[in-house]
Amino acid sequence: GENVEQHPSTLSVQEGDSAVIKCTYSDSASNYFPWYKQELGKRPQLIIDIRSNVGEKKDQRIAVTLNKTAKHFSLHITETQPEDSAVYFCAASGIAGGGNKLTFGTGTQLKVEL
Amino acid sequence: DTGVSQNPRHKITKRGQNVTFRCDPISEHNRLYWYRQTLGQGPEFLTYFQNEAQLEKSRLLSDRFSAERPKGSFSTLEIQRTEQGDSAMYLCASSPRDRAYEQYFGPGTRLTVT
C-alpha cells in the first residue's frame, strides 16, 4: 500500500518568514495530493490540493509543488502569520475508479513566532 | 453549520463496553469515510461508503468494529468489547459526487477507554 513520509515534524519560523514542508510517497499510482491544517482540538481542514497533471498550484500565500518523477510534493507558506500555527498533514490517494482513501503523513507542527 | 457533524464529541467508556458513534455528512455528499487518529499521528483510513454500500475496509478494522450507512445519509461506527487500544479520535469525512477526491472532515469523536 501507499506510504507517505513527512518532514520536518516540527518547524518554527518568525512571523513574515516562509515555511516549507516536504512529503514523499511510495505508490506511483497516487495522483491526488491534498494538504490539511489541523488546529488543536479541531477538524482537519483542507487548505490546498494538487492533482498529478499539474506541477504547481498557488492560492494566495500557500502553494504546493509536485514532482512525480521523484515522488515528492511540498507545501510552501509565504509571509507567515501567527494564525498559521497548527499541525499540517500531507496525504496521497488515487483518484480513478474506486475508493479515494487518503494515506496521511505524520504531520508537521508549525509554530509562527512573533 | 453545513459541515460534517459527529456525535458525541467525547465518549468515555470502560473496557469491554460497546460504543456507537454517528456521522452526518454534508448534504448530498455520496461518499463517506471513517478514519482513526491517535496522538501525534495522521488520520488512518478505516472504511468508506459510496451511498449505502460499504466498499472498502482497512485491515485496522477488526471484527469488533462495524460500520453502517443504511440509507446513504448518516453513518454509524460501532465498537464492541472496547479495549484500551481503541482510545483515539474517530474522524468522519465526506466527499461530493462531482469531486469525489475532496474529503471534508468532521470534528471527530474522542474515545477514551478506561
Side-chain angles (χ1 to χ4, degrees):
Chain A
E2 176 65 276
N3 181 53
V4 176
E5 295 189 355
Q6 182 171 349
H7 300 281
S9 57
T10 60
L11 179 59
S12 185
V13 300
Q14 294 293 313
E15 183 181 8
D17 287 351
S18 295
V20 180
I21 302 170
K22 298 182 179 182
C23 289
T24 60
Y25 62 99
S26 61
D27 189 349
S28 56
S30 290
N31 53 11
Y32 174 67
F33 308 93
W35 287 87
Y36 286 84
K37 174 184 180 183
Q38 188 173 31
E39 296 175 76
L40 191 62
K42 295 193 175 181
R43 71 187 73 197
Q45 179 189 0
L46 177 63
I47 57 171
I48 195 168
D49 56 15
I50 191 167
R51 297 174 62 173
S52 59
N53 55 348
V54 297
E56 184 174 358
K57 184 177 178 180
K58 190 173 182 180
D59 182 4
Q60 298 182 1
R61 296 188 297 107
I62 59 173
V64 57
T65 59
L66 171 65
N67 183 328
K68 282 208 71 178
T69 303
K71 293 186 200 166
H72 66 71
F73 55 113
S74 301
L75 177 70
H76 304 252
I77 305 174
T78 58
E79 302 172 20
T80 54
Q81 301 168 3
E83 51 265 39
D84 294 330
S85 296
V87 179
Y88 291 82
F89 291 98
C90 63
S93 80
I95 292 179
N100 302 120
K101 63 181 179 185
L102 294 172
T103 301
F104 284 83
T106 51
T108 296
Q109 174 77 60
L110 173 64
K111 185 176 181 181
V112 179
E113 298 176 331
L114 297 172
Chain B
D1 185 357
T2 57
V4 178
S5 62
Q6 293 187 246
N7 288 288
R9 295 291 310 278
H10 304 273
K11 179 70 177 179
I12 300 174
T13 191
K14 292 185 177 181
R15 188 176 54 188
Q17 297 295 304
N18 299 344
V19 294
T20 300
F21 311 140
R22 176 177 170 130
C23 170
D24 287 88
I26 294 171
S27 179
E28 298 184 2
H29 279 198
N30 67 328
R31 291 193 180 197
L32 186 150
Y33 301 79
W34 285 99
Y35 291 83
R36 180 171 68 187
Q37 185 176 28
T38 53
L39 199 61
Q41 300 295 316
E44 295 177 292
F45 170 79
L46 293 177
T47 188
Y48 103 97
F49 293 83
Q50 181 167 309
N51 300 312
E52 66 275 8
Q54 186 175 18
L55 296 185
E56 189 171 353
K57 293 167 60 173
S58 163
R59 283 173 289 180
L60 291 175
L61 214 65
S62 76
D63 56 6
R64 296 185 298 106
F65 288 70
S66 63
E68 294 183 342
R69 195 182 182 198
K71 297 182 179 179
S73 57
F74 73 91
S75 175
T76 58
L77 177 68
E78 180 184 16
I79 308 175
Q80 296 182 327
R81 306 181 302 281
T82 52
E83 302 173 356
Q84 287 189 321
D86 297 332
S87 295
M89 176 74 83
Y90 289 84
L91 292 163
C92 176
S94 68
S95 60
R97 193 179 306 270
D98 59 342
R99 298 185 313 280
Y101 43 88
E102 287 183 8
Q103 295 184 28
Y104 297 91
F105 282 84
T109 295
R110 180 166 295 285
L111 174 66
T112 302
V113 182
T114 61

